[in-house]
Amino acid sequence: MRQFTLKQLRYFVVAGELGSVTGAAKQLYVSQPSISAAIHQIEEMTGLQLFVRHHAQGLSLTPSGRQLMTRARQLLRDSDNLMQYAMSLGDTIAGELKLVAFPTFAPVFLPRLLRKYADAYPDVNLSCHEMTQEDILKGLHNGEYELAFAYDLQLPQEIEFTPLSRFPPYAVVAEDHPLARQGSVSLARLIEHPMVLLDWPQSREYFLSLFEAEGIVPDIIYRAKSLDMIRGLVANGFGFSLFNTPLTTDKAFDGKRLVALTLEEDARPLSMGIASLRHLTLSPAAEAMRQLASRTDLVLEPINSPRSTPSSSTPDA
């Protein structure tokens, strides 16, 4: 029985990712006929049409092609992991490790963690992307990433999640806001004032759910896509906002100050942790990152905001 090779699968995956035989040939430093022949041979052996060919516009994956590419990525990663494992038998962890993280909390701790990892494992080619929770899960499913730093929001059964820290929600206001000297405040008192909302998927739903649980609705006067913009709008008096990542500086970019207020309600905190596909055997490089993150105090000491707490289920190793 004829079988396709890892090389043919790699050619197919790169062509599918780029939507182009020409682009795949350039990236892999091979000829275009080599890419085309690999795709044709896989189609011939499987009886599947993997691509729709568009004249002068490249390729697009068929539904069968998308399914095969997901499995092919996993197989190629397993092949790479086997090589990394073989290298690690000589006590050297090496290879490539691609991470992904939720962007609102990633700047708080990830640079320090990446620095510690790079110092401990200099032979690993390390990279990290920032994405929404939905895109993080897609990246784990399609094999693009082994590990993700994510929230415990809408996680399907096939995702294994190890909590590292809990982030309680809290309010932020400008230093001259009428509530700035309160220290703590109720959600009912907050909605007497306009709100600036972090308009990220999952984050948006989480913050609004806190008001829904109390049967109240905030007056959202402004929506923004970044924490830095939210901080600036709040500090300049547009309204209050809700955060859950630690406030490690009380100033916006223009120098105006923010004040953090504890919520009086027992609002549900979010857990931040490491996510990966359940039953996936991590590469030595990924396992080393999982262990390092699990035993590292990831969160910086906040400025006048509730301290995030290490999860009680955080492993010791």
Side-chain angles (χ1 to χ4, degrees):
M1 180 179 177
R2 296 177 61 195
Q3 295 181 339
F4 41 74
T5 65
L6 291 175
K7 180 185 291 186
Q8 289 170 335
L9 284 179
R10 196 174 301 278
Y11 288 2
F12 156 64
V13 167
V14 175
E17 289 175 339
L18 299 179
S20 168
V21 169
T22 302
K26 289 181 178 178
Q27 180 167 314
L28 295 168
Y29 300 100
V30 298
S31 67
Q32 293 184 40
S34 297
I35 303 292
S36 298
I39 294 170
H40 176 73
Q41 289 167 358
I42 295 174
E43 289 181 323
E44 187 178 61
M45 283 184 276
T46 60
L48 300 173
Q49 181 180 348
L50 303 178
F51 292 103
V52 176
R53 277 78 169 175
H54 305 284
H55 179 65
Q57 294 183 6
L59 309 169
S60 61
L61 287 160
T62 64
S64 295
R66 283 195 295 272
Q67 292 181 51
L68 183 63
M69 190 165 82
T70 296
R71 295 299 300 273
R73 277 174 164 167
Q74 293 175 351
L75 181 59
L76 291 170
R77 186 183 62 238
D78 288 342
S79 174
D80 292 340
N81 290 347
L82 180 61
M83 176 61 73
Q84 294 174 27
Y85 177 74
M87 296 173 66
S88 71
L89 294 178
D91 297 327
T92 298
I93 293 179
E96 182 179 28
L97 178 58
K98 293 176 66 176
L99 307 170
V100 63
F102 199 81
T104 56
F105 62 68
V108 176
F109 73 87
L110 205 50
R112 290 186 302 122
L113 182 63
L114 295 180
R115 180 70 270 162
K116 290 185 68 172
Y117 185 91
D119 290 343
Y121 307 105
D123 294 322
V124 175
N125 183 14
L126 187 63
S127 63
C128 184
H129 297 158
E130 296 174 73
M131 293 183 178
T132 64
Q133 186 89 348
E134 180 180 1
D135 289 335
I136 285 174
L137 296 178
K138 287 180 181 178
L140 291 174
H141 277 295
N142 65 26
E144 188 173 355
Y145 305 100
E146 283 190 84
L147 290 180
F149 292 92
Y151 280 130
D152 59 339
L153 287 173
Q154 300 180 9
L155 296 177
Q157 286 280 37
E158 59 269 25
I159 295 297
E160 182 173 345
F161 182 79
T162 303
L164 298 175
S165 293
R166 282 187 290 269
F167 294 132
Y170 60 96
V172 287
V173 297
E175 64 177 337
D176 58 354
H177 191 279
L179 300 176
R181 297 184 180 276
Q182 297 297 309
S184 64
V185 66
S186 68
L187 291 170
R189 184 79 185 279
L190 281 173
I191 65 166
E192 297 174 3
H193 304 270
M195 180 181 186
V196 180
L197 178 66
L198 178 63
D199 199 16
W200 268 80
Q202 277 80 47
S203 294
R204 173 183 59 230
E205 286 77 13
Y206 166 68
F207 289 131
L208 292 180
S209 73
L210 302 180
F211 295 99
E212 291 172 5
E214 301 298 317
I216 54 180
V217 178
D219 176 19
I220 301 172
I221 194 172
Y222 211 108
R223 297 171 182 257
K225 299 290 187 182
S226 73
L227 281 177
D228 288 332
M229 187 63 177
I230 295 287
R231 292 162 65 91
L233 291 168
V234 170
N236 280 276
F238 281 87
F240 76 91
S241 191
L242 294 185
F243 285 4
N244 69 309
T245 51
L247 191 67
T248 55
T249 176
D250 62 354
K251 290 185 179 180
F253 277 145
D254 62 3
K256 292 186 178 296
R257 290 189 64 247
L258 297 161
V259 176
L261 305 174
T262 301
L263 294 182
E264 294 176 357
E265 291 82 1
D266 186 19
R268 177 175 67 92
L270 286 180
S271 288
M272 181 277 293
I274 301 176
S276 62
L277 279 180
R278 197 177 299 277
H279 308 308
L280 173 69
T281 301
L282 296 177
S283 67
E287 179 60 26
M289 173 60 80
R290 187 194 67 79
Q291 293 192 23
L292 178 64
S294 297
R295 62 175 181 263
T296 300
D297 185 10
L298 298 177
V299 183
L300 298 175
E301 190 67 34
I303 299 203
N304 78 4
S305 66
R307 176 74 161 94
S308 63
T309 58
S311 170
S312 60
S313 58
T314 300
D316 293 328

